[in-house]
Amino acid sequence: MVDDKQEIIRVEKLNKSFGDLHVLKDIDMSVKESDVVVLIGASGSGKSTLLRCLNFLEIKNSGNIIIEGEKIEKNTHNLNEVRQRVGMVFQHFNLFPHKTVLGNVIEAPTQVKGIKKEKAIRDGKELLDKVGLGDKYDVYPSTLSGGQKQRVAIARALAMKPDVMLFDEPTSALDPELVGEVLATMKKLALEGMTMVVVTHEMGFAREVGDWVNYMHDGRIVESGDPNDLFDNPKQERTQAFLSSVL
Ligand code: ADP
Ligand code: MG
């Protein structure tokens, strides 16, 4: 079978250090159009740093990051422009507290992209409807549950019409009863064909929604594969140890 899906993200021999601390070591990774790639691994293994490099919130030391066929370098590219194509959702939602829910969603499209306010409002309401917050346009974030806040954050990222969405432990800060609604929103996005890279400890989600799983340990991807294969038959001892600690 010929796989002609476009490669949205390609990472080659990516290295990142903070001072003497070598955090990412020769990372190779590929994310194709409409794929859901899940990153798992212990705390401190480099998952967030990898996502932040993909969104250019951190600048790599060496290696290549290729977005939609274009090798992105900070000297040759406008990283703000590239960042619009790579949406990100964080563990702590980082909503603007003094703006309404809809205000949060239309902020970047109007301020960064120069979209007309009426159009941004129409699109923003549609996105909020989609994440199940059609009755919350005009309230402030402080009145929302964590799960609702995270769904606003997802709508806000989608408002920039990114080609890929990065999620960094989007449910880790939530009370257990609120995790499901956020995962359901992410699953819906995945089913609509959104390309996603997801750092999560939710192995059920990884198995059900993920097309590919990368297990990170100490700055390296030590094992990757189809979620069912990797969870049922981990090849590396490290992966086995990690999985038995979380499953
Ligand atoms: P994970 O998300 O897998 O828990 P991180 O990418 O957050 O891992 O962190 C990997 C390592 O890099 C950790 O040792 C962490 O302390 C370190 N680190 C992350 N960000 C910074 C930073 N801005 N400055 C210095 N060290 C950092
Ligand atoms: Mg992290």
Side-chain angles (χ1 to χ4, degrees):
M1 203 177 77
V2 181
D3 183 359
D4 55 0
K5 283 202 289 186
Q6 190 196 355
E7 206 166 30
I8 304 289
I9 298 177
R10 180 177 184 81
V11 174
E12 297 171 341
K13 292 250 171 295
L14 179 69
N15 283 272
K16 172 68 184 173
S17 297
F18 295 107
D20 291 339
L21 188 65
H22 192 177
V23 173
L24 297 179
K25 301 167 183 169
D26 288 337
I27 299 281
D28 289 319
M29 190 168 101
S30 170
V31 182
K32 290 191 169 163
E33 190 180 351
S34 79
D35 273 359
V36 177
V37 172
V38 176
L39 295 175
I40 60 173
S43 176
S45 58
K47 305 177 301 294
S48 294
T49 304
L50 175 54
L51 283 196
R52 292 170 65 81
C53 284
L54 296 180
N55 195 34
F56 306 95
L57 292 170
E58 300 289 353
I59 302 301
K60 68 185 162 87
N61 293 97
S62 66
N64 294 322
I65 299 173
I66 298 157
I67 307 286
E68 298 174 312
E70 240 186 305
K71 196 191 319 180
I72 308 297
E73 295 289 345
K74 80 171 192 312
N75 301 329
T76 53
H77 286 81
N78 176 347
L79 296 183
N80 284 322
E81 184 276 323
V82 180
R83 226 170 262 136
Q84 292 177 24
R85 290 189 261 154
V86 185
M88 185 142 169
V89 172
F90 302 88
Q91 183 176 352
H92 300 284
F93 335 107
N94 307 342
L95 298 175
F96 303 116
H98 303 299
K99 291 190 184 293
T100 63
V101 162
L102 185 59
N104 268 274
V105 174
I106 69 168
E107 175 71 9
T110 54
Q111 299 304 311
V112 180
K113 268 195 165 172
I115 305 282
K116 286 236 167 32
K117 195 164 175 188
E118 301 70 56
K119 163 98 173 113
I121 287 174
R122 242 184 339 213
D123 292 353
K125 286 180 173 173
E126 202 174 294
L127 285 169
L128 286 167
D129 296 346
K130 183 180 152 127
V131 300
L133 295 173
D135 56 343
K136 298 290 184 190
Y137 300 156
D138 299 322
V139 308
Y140 286 86
S142 61
T143 67
L144 299 177
S145 72
Q148 290 170 329
K149 285 180 192 165
Q150 192 58 296
R151 286 183 284 142
V152 175
I154 292 171
R156 184 179 58 175
L158 291 172
M160 293 300 274
K161 302 195 190 309
D163 295 330
V164 52
M165 288 273 285
L166 313 178
F167 292 87
D168 193 356
E169 299 200 30
T171 61
S172 297
L174 301 178
D175 291 336
E177 72 273 20
L178 302 177
V179 168
E181 64 192 61
V182 172
L183 294 178
T185 301
M186 293 166 63
K187 181 178 170 185
K188 186 167 155 191
L189 265 185
L191 291 174
E192 287 172 5
M194 176 57 77
T195 309
M196 298 168 40
V197 182
V198 184
V199 174
T200 188
H201 298 293
E202 297 291 336
M203 300 300 160
F205 175 88
R207 208 187 258 272
E208 190 189 344
V209 182
D211 295 297
W212 200 256
V213 183
N214 291 318
Y215 166 62
M216 286 185 73
H217 175 77
D218 191 23
R220 295 181 195 278
I221 293 177
V222 300
E223 185 162 350
S224 49
D226 171 270
N228 290 319
D229 290 349
L230 191 134
F231 291 139
D232 293 337
N233 286 306
K235 304 235 163 12
Q236 306 286 334
E237 238 171 81
R238 290 246 180 247
T239 319
Q240 289 162 14
F242 174 74
L243 289 174
S244 57
S245 76
V246 295
L247 288 178

